[in-house]
Amino acid sequence: MAEINYAGILKFLPRFEAGEFANAKAYYLDMGLEPQPVPDLMSAPVQGGMQIPFDWPSWKVEAKRYRENPVLISSADLATL
């Protein structure tokens, strides 16, 4: 697994603290576009090695088991979760 670049995500912390994302939803609804910090933030986990590829459709049957019987979650391993 590639090394994770936490700095790539943490650089957004001051922007959150400054409120740059506070009106992102309203901006999107008004303009039909996301304000610039949003696409940058959304791509940071991928670029930083934090996003793990996952084949959701192939996991659908197993997911149904956990949804129907949530107690199974407590004994599931990390890879399953």
Side-chain angles (χ1 to χ4, degrees):
M1 180 176 274
E3 186 173 326
I4 295 176
N5 177 8
Y6 294 103
I9 292 293
L10 292 175
K11 72 179 184 182
F12 288 94
L13 185 57
R15 297 176 92 170
F16 273 102
E17 292 173 337
E20 287 188 41
F21 294 92
N23 295 316
K25 181 180 177 183
Y27 183 91
Y28 178 80
L29 292 174
D30 289 343
M31 304 295 290
L33 302 169
E34 293 164 339
Q36 190 52 50
V38 173
D40 294 343
L41 174 63
M42 290 171 55
S43 67
V46 176
Q47 294 171 356
M50 296 174 133
Q51 186 177 23
I52 300 169
F54 190 77
D55 183 4
W56 287 102
S58 70
W59 196 69
K60 187 176 182 179
V61 172
E62 190 169 357
K64 183 178 180 186
R65 286 184 44 237
Y66 287 99
R67 190 174 50 249
E68 291 174 349
N69 191 359
V71 74
L72 294 174
I73 295 171
S74 64
S75 62
D77 62 12
L78 184 58
T80 301
L81 296 175

